[in-house]
Amino acid sequence: MTPHAEPDPQAGAAVKAADRAHVFHSWSAQGLIDPLAVAGAEGSYFWDYEGNRYLDFTSGLVYTNIGYQHPRVVEAVQEQAGRLATFAPAFAIDVRSEAARLIAERTPGDLDKIFFTNGGAEAVENAVRMARLHTGRAKVLSAYRSYHGATSTAINLTGDPRRWASDTASAGVVHFWAPFPYRSPFYSSTEAEECARALQHLEDTIAFEGPGTVAAIVLETIPGTAGIMTPPPGYLTGVREICDRYGIVFVLDEVMAGFGRTGRWFAAEHYDVVPDLLTFAKGSTPVMCRSAASPSPPRSRRPSTSARTPAASPTQATRSPARPPLRRSG
């Protein structure tokens, strides 16, 4: 159905009936929801079977960065599917290698090793596994007012109330307060005070948990669904210094903030900080990036424990035809 097609309420009712009979929706009380039957989408708009057109301010689920059905993306996917739709991750594939190279050109600092996954939560899961393998430690620190995904470790890392129903209290996760000047947990009156007190709180948490027990600190560079809370100047560089002091792996989760959403390829660029591991997903093939010198180096004799069968299949990693080269943001 195109935006100009005739409305078809009967087809919409059939779609709705099949959905309610068989589809289990995420983050929803199944008996209370009434999903809209969507007939199609193009650009920034989608439409229903009644002929109503909607401007999608949510960009799907914060991932249709260039709109729905972009003709160059559709063409690239169709061309790649006809040539090689998928292949096992143990082999070198041209479009996967090219996607990794293009990502490595744009990541901060020396983050130039790319691990492809199937979603942002998976990228976070694998980052934590790498940190634990590298350090031999179990605990991971993350902030309240955060969201890192709905898989096992990722939901336990999450700091907002969506975690509660799945919180096992055995995932090795310790939460702490990140800065939030608007409703400061530290009774600060300035950004500088908030930054200093938040960093002291984090270091105190590490001291009482035992620095030798903490594998990683996982932070959203800019928290997304928990509230768009930009960190005060100096906070992320302060966390970087704390991680260096105690041998803790610093993981930045840019699933929502990365890939151009803040005006730079990655939000970390605004704060002059380079993490040990960087995750991002929405609007791109989900990945986790690391430097050649960071945890679990690729030439290590220790086998990687990170794996996913269809990660970055060629159709995920395909490049738009005649695509002009992207430039690193300044």
Side-chain angles (χ1 to χ4, degrees):
M1 183 176 181
T2 69
H4 310 292
E6 290 296 320
D8 191 348
Q10 186 174 356
V15 170
K16 185 77 160 288
D19 177 280
R20 300 316 300 130
H22 304 294
V23 177
F24 200 99
H25 288 257
S26 61
W27 299 121
S28 304
Q30 303 303 303
L32 301 180
I33 59 175
D34 184 27
L36 177 69
V38 174
E42 185 177 68
S44 299
Y45 294 87
F46 66 91
W47 53 92
D48 62 21
Y49 288 88
E50 305 285 339
N52 300 307
R53 189 165 175 255
Y54 304 83
L55 175 59
D56 185 5
F57 283 107
T58 67
S59 298
L61 198 59
V62 202
Y63 60 77
T64 55
N65 298 24
I66 56 174
Y68 295 102
Q69 302 301 108
H70 194 291
R72 286 167 64 183
V73 174
V74 172
E75 181 184 353
V77 170
Q78 289 174 335
E79 188 277 330
Q80 184 63 47
R83 188 168 72 87
L84 181 64
T86 188
F87 211 82
F91 297 84
I93 305 298
D94 57 351
V95 288
R96 184 161 58 215
S97 301
E98 175 67 356
R101 184 189 69 80
L102 289 168
I103 292 168
E105 284 183 353
R106 290 155 181 81
T107 46
D110 60 351
L111 297 173
D112 61 358
K113 299 294 181 182
I114 315 302
F115 182 75
F116 291 103
T117 70
N118 293 308
E122 255 187 45
V124 172
E125 294 271 343
N126 282 286
V128 169
R129 289 169 66 189
M130 284 190 179
R132 285 172 166 162
L133 177 66
H134 175 71
T135 62
R137 304 170 182 176
K139 291 180 185 174
V140 181
L141 272 58
S142 64
Y144 291 110
R145 297 194 182 99
S146 69
Y147 179 74
H148 295 286
T151 52
S152 179
T153 300
I155 193 61
N156 278 272
L157 288 169
T158 292
D160 75 25
R162 282 175 289 183
R163 177 190 81 252
W164 295 348
S166 303
D167 193 336
T168 64
S170 62
V173 175
V174 177
H175 291 96
F176 62 92
W177 292 108
F180 185 30
Y182 180 62
R183 293 232 164 84
S184 171
F186 309 110
Y187 304 100
S188 303
S189 56
T190 66
E191 281 195 331
E193 270 187 356
E194 184 74 0
C195 178
R197 293 176 184 181
L199 288 172
Q200 187 61 56
H201 162 67
L202 174 57
E203 192 152 16
D204 289 346
T205 301
I206 293 169
F208 280 94
E209 288 295 330
T213 70
V214 179
I217 294 174
V218 181
L219 285 172
E220 291 177 278
T221 309
I222 300 174
T225 58
I228 312 302
M229 299 172 288
T230 56
Y235 180 71
L236 292 178
T237 54
V239 175
R240 169 78 275 177
E241 291 167 4
I242 289 172
C243 287
D244 290 342
R245 192 176 309 138
Y246 296 111
I248 296 169
V249 176
F250 186 22
V251 181
L252 281 181
D253 178 348
E254 296 220 5
V255 171
M256 290 196 68
F259 226 62
R261 290 182 182 84
T262 66
R264 301 281 183 94
W265 280 108
F266 297 96
E269 296 177 67
H270 292 287
Y271 302 100
D272 296 319
V273 64
V274 179
D276 297 302
L277 299 171
L278 176 74
T279 66
F280 70 95
K282 293 176 183 287
S284 65
T285 294
V287 301
M288 189 270 295
C289 309
R290 66 185 180 213
S291 74
S294 68
S296 218
R299 293 182 180 84
S300 171
R301 292 170 185 251
R302 179 181 295 175
S304 171
T305 62
S306 300
R308 190 65 172 131
T309 302
S313 66
T315 47
Q316 286 179 293
T318 191
R319 188 177 180 186
S320 297
R323 174 186 175 193
L326 296 174
R327 297 178 180 176
R328 184 186 292 270
S329 55

